[in-house]
Each structure stands twice: as structure tokens, then as C-alpha cells.
């Protein structure tokens, strides 16, 4: 048994396990006070938050944040029109970014050359390089289809905005438009839900 602590320092506790003994140490004051403060804070916070409803709940916080995002997106969308999309289709940086998204996300159904055909075989998507559009050939109409998918989702064109976000959707539409000319004739396909072919 080792000697007890000299002077008036911490005393050695009598118990011993596997030859290990411990001193009866007092915790430092800074530690104790931090601990007391957290306990007091907990009680105050608990009463305030759960009993009196002070402060916003997580749900409320999320709701506010989501509303802000929706509002922001709405304002962004209001700024996008056909002319802006045509202008973006001439912007090399935007088109390059759109091409990258296209090649990872759209190629499987619309083909690398936008023809929706690969080696003569028809892919599930519609050609995007011709002048016939099922859902309208105006840039904002194309944007809507890519954002929200085809009105009849069972046709196989999913909504992309939830996955890609608005910016990448806009870029990919600019890329499609870069393969077209503003003012070129755009016809509606025979099976277009928008009306009889013109
Ligand atoms: C899983 C297959 C698939 C993928 C992937 C896909 N599409 Fe489609 N897409 C379709 C189908 C099918 C249609 C036709 C929907 C219909 O008949 O209403 C379509 C229609 C469209 C149209 C409307 C064409 C028209 O004639 O009006 C556009 C534009 C379009 N896709 C763009 C895209 C873009 C951009 C991407 C990538 C972000 C993409 N698609 C990814 C299957 C796909």
C-alpha cells in the first residue's frame, strides 16, 4: 500500500483494483461551474421552450426556410422568359454546363445527338433536335417539361427540377436550344396534348 498523500493534498482512496488506486481529487472549479451553468441553462431552456413555447420550433424554422426558397425560386422563374433562354443558348459557359448535365442525365432516353435514336434503334425519349414538339417548342415550354416532367408522367419523362435544381435545368434547356435557331418553325406533334398539329 503506497503512502497516503503528503501535505494536505488529495487523499488516496483505500480501495485497490488490479494494483490501481485512485486519489480523491476535487474537480477544478472552472469545470464544476461550467457543469452547474449547463444544468441551470437546461432547466431554463426546457421550461421556456417546452412549457412556454418561447423560440421557434424546428418545424417552424424549416417551414420559414422552405417558404423563403420557394419565394426566391418563384422570383427567379419570373425573370426567365423565351428571350433570356435564347440568350443563354448563346452563352458558351451555360451551354457547356448544360451539355454536361445532358450527358449524365438525359442521354439514356434522348441520345447523345438528341435524336432519341442510337444505331437506328428508337430510345424511350422524343427527339430534341427536330422541329416537332409534343409539348411545345417555345423555350419556356421546354423548360416547363424538363422542370416538371411530361403532364402524363407514365409516358416516361420524369420531373428533373427536384433532382437537378432550377439552375441545372435551365442550363440543360439552354444546351438543347443551342442546337436550334430562334425563329425556326416549331410544330406540334400529332399526339400533342396542347392541341391539333399546326
Ligand atoms: C427515362 C427516360 C428519359 C430521360 C432520362 C429523360 N427523358 Fe425527356 N422525355 C422522355 C419521354 C418518354 C418523353 C416524351 C413524354 C411524352 O410522351 O409526353 C420526353 C420528353 C422530353 C421533352 C419534350 C419533347 C417534346 O417533343 O415536347 C423534353 C424537352 C425532354 N424530354 C428533355 C429531357 C431532358 C433535358 C432530360 C435530362 C435532364 C430528359 N428529357 C431526360 C424520356 C426521358
Amino acid at each position: 500500500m503506497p503512502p497516503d498523500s503528503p501535505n494536505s493534498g488529495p487523499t488516496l482512496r483505500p480501495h485497490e483494483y488490479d494494483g490501481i488506486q485512485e486519489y480523491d481529487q476535487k474537480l477544478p472549479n472552472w469545470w464544476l461551474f461550467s457543469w452547474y451553468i449547463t444544468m441551470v441553462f437546461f432547466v431554463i431552456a426546457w421550461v421556456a421552450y417546452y412549457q412556454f413555447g418561447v423560440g421557434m420550433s424546428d418545424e417552424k424554422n424549416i417551414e420559414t426556410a422552405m417558404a423563403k426558397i420557394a419565394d426566391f425560386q418563384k422570383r427567379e422563374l419570373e425573370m426567365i422568359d423565351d428571350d433570356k433562354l435564347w440568350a443563354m443558348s448563346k452563352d458558351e459557359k451555360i451551354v457547356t454546363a448544360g451539355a454536361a448535365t445532358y450527358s449524365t442525365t438525359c442521354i439514356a432516353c434522348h441520345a447523345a445527338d438528341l435524336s432519341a435514336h442510337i444505331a437506328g434503334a428508337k430510345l424511350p425519349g422524343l427527339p430534341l433536335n427536330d422541329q416537332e414538339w409534343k409539348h411545345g417548342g417555345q423555350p419556356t415550354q421546354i423548360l416547363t417539361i424538363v422542370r416538371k416532367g411530361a403532364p402524363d408522367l407514365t409516358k416516361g419523362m420524369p420531373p428533373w427540377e427536384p433532382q437537378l435544381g432550377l439552375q441545372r435545368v435551365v442550363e440543360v434547356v439552354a444546351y438543347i436550344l443551342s442546337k436550334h435557331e430562334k425563329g425556326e418553325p416549331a410544330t406540334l406533334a400529332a399526339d400533342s396534348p396542347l392541341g391539333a398539329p399546326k
Side-chain angles (χ1 to χ4, degrees), residues 64-111:
T64 322
M66 295 303 281
K68 257 195 203 145
I69 293 169
D71 198 51
F72 181 73
Q73 289 216 326
K74 213 177 123 219
R75 269 181 290 138
E76 278 206 323
L77 272 174
E78 277 162 6
M79 280 167 10
I80 299 173
D81 56 25
D82 289 341
D83 285 337
K84 290 226 171 66
L85 285 166
W86 280 120
M88 289 182 202
S89 77
K90 303 276 179 231
D91 184 316
E92 201 184 323
K93 241 175 93 188
I94 298 176
V95 170
T96 310
T101 302
Y102 185 87
S103 67
T104 52
T105 317
C106 321
I107 231 173
C109 297
H110 292 284

Side-chain angles (χ1 to χ4, degrees), residues 101-102 105-106 108-110 124-128 132-136 142 145-146 150-152 155-158 160 164 172 176:
T101 302
Y102 185 87
T105 317
C106 321
C109 297
H110 292 284
L126 293 171
L128 303 175
E132 188 183 271
W133 298 92
K134 179 168 177 182
H135 299 288
I142 299 173
I145 290 300
V146 182
D152 180 357
K155 298 277 188 219
M157 171 65 182
W160 292 103
L164 298 175
V172 84
I176 295 171

Side-chain angles (χ1 to χ4, degrees), residues 19-32:
I20 297 168
Q21 282 185 280
E22 59 177 348
Y23 281 114
D24 189 6
Q25 285 275 23
K26 184 179 178 298
L27 285 160
N29 280 340
W30 66 262
W31 195 98
L32 284 172

